[in-house]
Amino acid sequence: MIQPLLQTATAPRTVSVFGATGSIGCNTLDLVRRNPDAYRIEALTAYRNLDLLIAQALEFRPHLAVIGDASHYSALKAALAGTGIEVAAGDQAVVDAADRPVDLVMAAIVGAAGLEPTLRALRRGAVVALANKECLVCAGELFMREVERQGATLLPVDSEHNAIFQVFDFDRPEAVDRIILTASGGPFRTWDRDSMAQVTPEQAVAHPNWDMGAKISVDSATMFNKGLELIEAFHLFPVKAEQIEILVHPQSVVHSMVSYIDGSVLAQLGSPDMRTPISYALGWPARMETPARRLNLAQIGRLDFAEPDLERFPALRLAREALVAGGNAPTVLNAANEVAVAGFLARKIGFLQIAEIVQTTLETLPLAGVEDLDDVRETDREARRVADAIMRRIE
Ligand SMILES: NC(=O)C1=CN([C@@H]2O[C@H](COP(=O)(O)OP(=O)(O)OC[C@H]3O[C@@H](n4cnc5c(N)ncnc54)[C@H](OP(=O)(O)O)[C@@H]3O)[C@@H](O)[C@H]2O)C=CC1
Ligand SMILES: CC(=O)[C@@H](O)[C@H](O)COP(=O)(O)O
Ligand SMILES: [Mn+2]
């Protein structure tokens, strides 16, 4: 049983889970299930997975269950009738669910769709456990400005950023030399480009180490995931872009490292199980017990590291260029990637065309400043339109 510092036996921590039906959402609820006295669920949100949302609502008895796809409203209402659980549907209802006062919000919606509810939660002053990296890619500066303005607490859940969060000396950032983001290299780490041209969605979502949703699994395979994480790290930690390195580490045991000016390198290690970083956020500032397999380095025997290959994985180059260019470029990169990944999963385009579509979209749209959230929304819409048009030409 956990014993977080901010909790007493009579006051369970209240939690809302956005993206409850996804991989992060389910892992979060698994930890809650194992610690029933320590947490109470306020709101659960899903998008299309009605059956799972109903099952989760019946098990965890939140005050509110929201389905993003409004066509499921009646079915959700009927299934939860008589339970006392409030029901809502539609995109706006997902955002409004973030108004519910809670101790912690798990932001685990996939894609830029997570931006508005997460911002709403920040504005209400919730502690936000952030899995949704696309928030920071498409609106990093505005998002972090909002965090500062609200004095909000942001707890990184993405395994690499959670690792860095655990070993970064926030009191002495000037002592940090570099951040080293580890990358598994994905299922095609050793493949040549000709072979990658033929891969199927089934092969691309089969990550060697992690069990994740389809979109992030494809991102890992193209290595856009590491590109998005580069931009995510830039916004989360007080370092310059050139201080963030990417290092291929196929075993996903060292989750990331911070290198200090005295030559010390601090790393966080663990079995690849998202329940460890999720638990760090759920229990924060205390640690809680998880069922993650204990690391046995003697059994693992060796850990490998290598430089990333920017020729075979152009996503890494594109993401760094977008970060350095700034302005609307990261928003465009993220939106085009979301469109291209969806197209690949729907078998409209080939694997290598994901990065091609992102690159062409970036080349098509002029670099411009992003002043406010309306600019982000407009850039996101326009980039999706352009990426979609490029995809149709390829199809
Ligand atoms: N999975 C992992 O281990 C890791 C994930 N992350 C990040 O966490 C986030 C979630 O990833 P993951 O759990 O894998 O994703 P999944 O695809 O497994 O789950 C996504 C969740 O978001 C919901 N959703 C999808 N589209 C919308 C929308 N338009 N509006 C509202 N809700 C929506 C889905 O609902 P439904 O299923 O009901 O349609 C589901 O609950 C991503 O940003 C990812 O990059 C970061 C590190 C590790
Ligand atoms: C679990 C997690 O945080 C993922 O982002 C993971 O890191 C993906 O693995 P890659 O290193 O292959 O992108
Ligand atoms: Mn990650």
Side-chain angles (χ1 to χ4, degrees):
M1 198 54 94
I2 65 154
Q3 293 174 334
L5 296 180
L6 300 180
Q7 228 164 260
T8 67
T10 51
R13 187 172 280 192
T14 53
V15 178
S16 286
V17 185
F18 288 76
T21 46
S23 158
I24 294 284
C26 290
N27 274 319
T28 303
L29 290 175
D30 181 61
L31 292 171
V32 170
R33 179 182 293 118
R34 291 165 190 275
N35 296 278
D37 299 332
Y39 298 99
R40 190 178 60 67
I41 299 294
E42 172 63 29
L44 293 175
T45 85
Y47 192 65
R48 288 212 176 90
N49 196 339
L50 173 72
D51 291 346
L52 183 53
L53 179 63
I54 291 169
Q56 289 176 338
L58 291 174
E59 178 180 356
F60 293 96
R61 299 285 166 156
H63 288 135
L64 173 69
V66 184
I67 188 95
D69 182 341
S71 69
H72 293 308
Y73 176 70
S74 312
L76 182 62
K77 198 170 164 55
L80 300 184
T83 61
I85 301 169
E86 206 181 313
V87 167
D91 290 334
Q92 193 53 46
V94 173
V95 179
D96 292 344
D99 286 337
R100 301 277 170 142
V102 277
D103 295 320
L104 183 132
V105 164
M106 172 56 72
I109 289 174
V110 64
L115 176 62
E116 307 278 348
T118 310
L119 274 175
R120 187 72 83 83
L122 279 179
R123 287 181 182 141
R124 211 197 30 71
V127 173
V128 172
L130 188 71
N132 175 254
K133 67 193 80 181
E134 292 91 348
C135 276
L136 282 173
V137 178
C138 73
E141 266 142 40
L142 296 168
F143 189 92
M144 293 309 292
R145 210 180 293 160
E146 204 57 36
V147 170
E148 294 229 332
R149 198 185 347 239
Q150 305 298 335
T153 302
L154 200 56
L155 303 172
V157 169
D158 203 348
S159 63
E160 297 77 4
H161 307 73
N162 183 266
I164 295 164
F165 188 68
Q166 293 193 38
V167 296
F168 195 100
D169 189 346
F170 287 94
D171 293 330
R172 292 169 204 80
E174 68 284 355
V176 171
D177 178 35
R178 280 169 305 136
I179 278 177
I180 302 160
L181 278 180
T182 51
S184 76
F188 313 128
R189 178 176 55 88
T190 59
W191 291 35
D192 60 32
R193 298 266 301 166
D194 287 345
S195 308
M196 279 195 249
Q198 310 301 327
V199 306
T200 63
E202 290 75 15
Q203 289 173 302
V205 299
H207 195 281
N209 307 325
W210 300 95
D211 185 7
M212 309 184 289
K215 193 265 178 180
I216 185 176
S217 297
V218 175
D219 285 345
S220 291
T222 56
M223 294 195 75
F224 262 114
N225 185 48
K226 218 46 58 179
L228 302 181
E229 291 183 351
L230 166 75
I231 300 172
E232 181 185 15
F234 174 78
H235 291 296
L236 283 174
F237 305 108
V239 290
K240 300 192 185 79
E242 58 270 23
Q243 285 177 284
I244 311 173
E245 271 180 23
I246 292 168
L247 180 67
V248 174
H249 165 48
Q251 291 91 353
S252 301
V253 164
V254 178
H255 296 304
S256 276
M257 304 178 240
V258 177
S259 161
Y260 287 91
I261 52 173
D262 64 354
S264 299
V265 178
L266 303 193
Q268 187 260 352
L269 284 71
S271 299
D273 185 328
M274 279 307 292
R275 288 175 298 186
T276 297
I278 292 170
S279 75
Y280 193 84
L282 276 184
W284 184 85
R287 288 186 189 266
M288 61 192 273
E289 199 175 325
T290 79
R293 198 155 39 86
R294 296 298 173 260
L295 194 59
N296 184 335
L297 287 172
Q299 203 172 58
I300 293 169
R302 58 181 268 184
L303 297 175
D304 299 296
F305 301 95
E307 293 288 338
D309 183 337
L310 305 193
E311 299 301 319
R312 285 187 303 122
F313 295 99
L316 293 171
R317 174 180 54 79
L318 290 170
R320 194 173 285 276
E321 285 171 4
L323 174 58
V324 171
N328 60 353
T331 319
V332 172
L333 174 112
N334 180 68
N337 182 53
E338 287 192 30
V339 169
V341 170
F344 169 69
L345 287 170
R347 298 175 206 280
K348 293 179 183 170
I349 56 165
F351 181 73
L352 294 181
Q353 287 165 331
I354 298 173
E356 285 168 22
I357 288 171
V358 174
Q359 175 157 355
T360 312
T361 308
L362 281 161
E363 287 165 357
T364 306
L365 286 169
L367 185 64
V370 173
E371 300 303 324
D372 54 28
L373 277 171
D374 283 341
D375 284 349
V376 171
R377 292 184 192 108
E378 180 51 32
T379 304
D380 179 83
R381 260 194 305 274
E382 182 63 2
R384 282 171 200 271
R385 194 189 59 71
V386 170
D388 200 55
I390 296 165
M391 191 157 72
R392 280 171 203 279
R393 282 206 296 274
I394 292 175
E395 260 179 75

